[in-house]
Amino acid sequence: MVDETFKNSVTQIFRVAFPDGYVDVSEGYHDRLHVLVVSRDFDGLTEREKQTRLWEIARRELAEKTTGISLLIGYSPDELK
């Protein structure tokens, strides 16, 4: 079972980082979190650039606690059409 306090912290971190985006944090593999962010900030970025940006935020804000995250996914709204 996921630590709800950690889940809430991760949710808040990504909502602050992407205030105009959509953020969903859910339980994933082995009680680690899956984070989905849909934001115009990803317009025109490659998958590598999106991953780099998301993991930089996670590492900066969570330090060693990033082991509690198993998946970060970023999409531009246009990619979901």
Side-chain angles (χ1 to χ4, degrees):
M1 180 143 230
V2 170
D3 176 346
E4 288 298 318
T5 301
F6 179 64
K7 180 180 176 183
N8 291 337
S9 293
V10 170
T11 302
Q12 185 61 25
I13 286 165
F14 283 96
R15 286 190 176 150
V16 167
F18 299 96
D20 296 324
Y22 169 80
V23 175
D24 180 71
V25 179
S26 60
E27 187 171 339
Y29 182 73
H30 285 289
D31 295 330
R32 292 188 176 112
L33 297 178
H34 288 180
V35 180
L36 167 68
V37 179
V38 180
S39 173
R40 286 276 171 214
D41 293 351
F42 296 125
D43 286 353
L45 298 183
T46 66
E47 289 303 315
R48 175 171 278 196
E49 291 168 329
K50 290 185 268 186
Q51 284 294 305
T52 297
R53 180 149 185 218
L54 290 167
W55 282 107
E56 283 175 350
I57 292 165
R59 286 185 191 103
R60 181 180 63 239
E61 300 296 329
L62 298 167
E64 71 282 348
K65 293 182 182 178
T66 58
T67 58
I69 298 172
S70 63
L71 182 66
L72 287 171
I73 300 175
Y75 290 112
S76 165
D78 292 340
E79 293 177 289
L80 300 177
K81 290 182 180 179

